């Protein structure tokens, strides 16, 4: 049900974490002000099993990772 996104940024600031389905639709989104290093907890209980992409956007940084949800 939950996924943990670990991040390390050059400086604290606004972060946007978005989960996309295989069709490219945003299915979950979380915005927050981040410290330089930390964790973001994503509630994925409402998502069906499948493959998703998790994208983290911060000032000057974009990272994308594959996420597999299994039930």
């Amino acid at each position: 049900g939950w996924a943990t996104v670990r991040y390390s940024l050059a400086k604290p600031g606004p972060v946007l974490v978005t989960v996309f389905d295989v069709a490219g639709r945003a299915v979950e989104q979380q915005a927050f002000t981040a410290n330089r290093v930390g964790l973001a907890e994503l509630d994925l209980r409402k998502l069906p099993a499948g493959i998703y992409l998790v994208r983290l956007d911060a000032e000057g940084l974009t990272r994308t990772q594959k996420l597999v949800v299994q039930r």
Side-chain angles (χ1 to χ4, degrees):
W2 292 83
T4 302
V5 176
R6 296 179 191 273
Y7 58 85
S8 178
L9 306 174
K11 62 181 182 175
V15 171
L16 179 64
V17 177
T18 309
V19 179
F20 295 94
D21 65 12
V22 292
R25 294 180 299 248
V27 295
E28 181 68 31
Q29 198 167 58
Q30 182 177 340
F32 57 96
T33 301
N35 294 319
R36 289 191 60 228
V37 176
L39 306 170
E41 297 287 333
L42 301 175
D43 182 358
L44 305 176
R45 292 177 289 181
K46 67 182 180 199
L47 296 180
I51 298 173
Y52 297 87
L53 293 176
V54 178
R55 185 176 75 196
L56 182 137
D57 293 298
E59 187 176 317
L61 172 73
T62 299
R63 293 287 186 260
T64 305
Q65 290 275 164
K66 182 172 75 170
L67 170 71
V68 178
V69 175
Q70 297 177 337
R71 300 283 177 222

